[in-house]
Amino acid sequence: MAESGFVKVAEIGELPHGQMKQVQLGQEELCLANVDGSFYVIADTCTHSMGPLSKGQLDGEQVECPLHGAIFSVITGECVGPPADESVSAHEGRISGQDIMVGPAKS
Ligand code: FES
């Protein structure tokens, strides 16, 4: 792990605007999203029934789960649409050169 606690998970060129990608941080599967050139990271596992959010639809800053349509903010991880009713964790993200770095979950 990098000294700052941030780990490279992807490079900027891998993820065009409006796209998402599953990345690994240790044992954790995360959903990395590019919203208008800003990168956000939330847990990739839907709190309803473990759907992979990175395989869902990204609409602005909201992702729709591919299984049953729950909606989460990729910025905060907040659940904003049913059937899920619990939020997912959100992680700090930062850019270093061409690298997308992810840090620990925000508290
Ligand atoms: S698993 Fe995500 S809405 Fe059901």
Side-chain angles (χ1 to χ4, degrees):
M1 182 168 286
E3 185 181 332
S4 63
F6 280 72
V7 175
K8 176 184 176 181
V9 295
E11 295 187 359
I12 291 173
E14 295 175 40
L15 196 63
H17 290 197
Q19 299 290 307
M20 298 182 293
K21 170 186 173 83
Q22 186 186 81
V23 297
Q24 290 283 143
L25 183 68
Q27 303 289 334
E28 198 172 358
E29 293 173 340
L30 301 176
C31 171
L32 173 66
N34 181 339
V35 180
D36 294 331
S38 294
F39 294 91
Y40 299 99
V41 188
I42 60 174
D44 196 35
T45 305
C46 179
T47 54
H48 177 238
S49 192
M50 301 180 69
L53 297 179
S54 60
K55 302 289 189 286
Q57 288 290 321
L58 183 63
D59 181 10
E61 63 184 57
Q62 295 185 336
V63 56
E64 180 178 328
C65 177
L67 295 193
H68 315 105
I71 299 173
F72 297 86
S73 165
V74 296
I75 297 176
T76 64
E78 181 184 4
C79 178
V80 293
D85 58 8
E86 288 183 37
S87 299
V88 295
S89 62
H91 287 247
E92 301 279 353
R94 71 171 59 150
I95 301 299
S96 177
Q98 293 300 306
D99 296 340
I100 303 170
M101 315 288 289
V102 174
K106 300 174 185 172
S107 53

